[in-house]
Amino acid sequence: GGRAAAAPRVVAGDWALTEDRPGKPGWIATEPGSVLEFDLAFGPSPYATVVYVNSYEGFGRAFLEMSGSKNRVPLEAYHAQPVTTSAAIHLDVHKDFLANHVNDGQDFLANHVSKAGFGVPKFGNATLRVAFAGTCRVEAS
């Protein structure tokens, strides 16, 4: 697995570890282009799991990237149903490909648990970048 080698850092924009609702802390960004980085150290089976929230109003898309790789994994946090749920993506970071070979996010996370690779070697170190692309707003009709 992977473990954090250092505290996360805000590289650009307005990522903040905060609570949008009491008792519900998390990393939140509202500015497109905001970037958050996590330095990770891996063992003999390099993987990482990212857990995020899906919801309807004010949620959108982010991309996961890993240093040393051109692969980009979309996280679709918006859905039209009026519920909020948790989702997870499992990253087999040692592999060198994206599952389903989909880069536009249309079906990549259909089951909310997918696999993706970034070519990180066993016992390697890498930086996971979370780049916020923007929100989807729902207007009341």
Side-chain angles (χ1 to χ4, degrees):
R3 62 178 168 73
R9 65 186 166 278
V10 176
V11 176
D14 69 344
W15 280 105
L17 182 57
T18 186
E19 295 181 1
D20 58 346
R21 293 200 170 99
K24 307 244 181 196
W27 285 97
I28 297 172
T30 59
E31 293 177 13
S34 294
V35 176
L36 180 65
E37 290 186 343
F38 298 83
D39 291 329
L40 302 175
F42 296 97
S45 299
Y47 70 87
T49 300
V50 176
V51 178
Y52 60 100
V53 175
N54 283 319
S55 197
Y56 51 106
E57 179 119 20
F59 283 67
R61 175 185 267 191
F63 290 94
L64 298 178
E65 302 167 345
M66 190 81 67
S67 59
S69 175
K70 293 182 180 181
N71 288 347
R72 203 169 187 219
V73 177
L75 291 182
E76 297 293 344
Y78 170 79
H79 60 75
Q81 296 81 23
V83 296
T84 300
T85 60
S86 293
I89 182 167
H90 179 79
L91 305 170
D92 284 330
V93 300
H94 65 286
K95 294 183 180 178
D96 220 3
F97 63 88
L98 298 177
N100 301 336
H101 302 286
V102 175
N103 283 301
D104 65 2
Q106 293 302 308
D107 294 313
F108 192 84
L109 298 176
N111 296 323
H112 302 295
V113 179
S114 298
K115 296 184 177 186
F118 295 97
V120 176
K122 293 179 179 182
F123 301 102
N125 295 315
T127 300
L128 176 66
R129 292 174 56 98
V130 182
F132 179 62
T135 57
C136 299
R137 297 277 179 202
V138 175
E139 299 293 328
S141 54

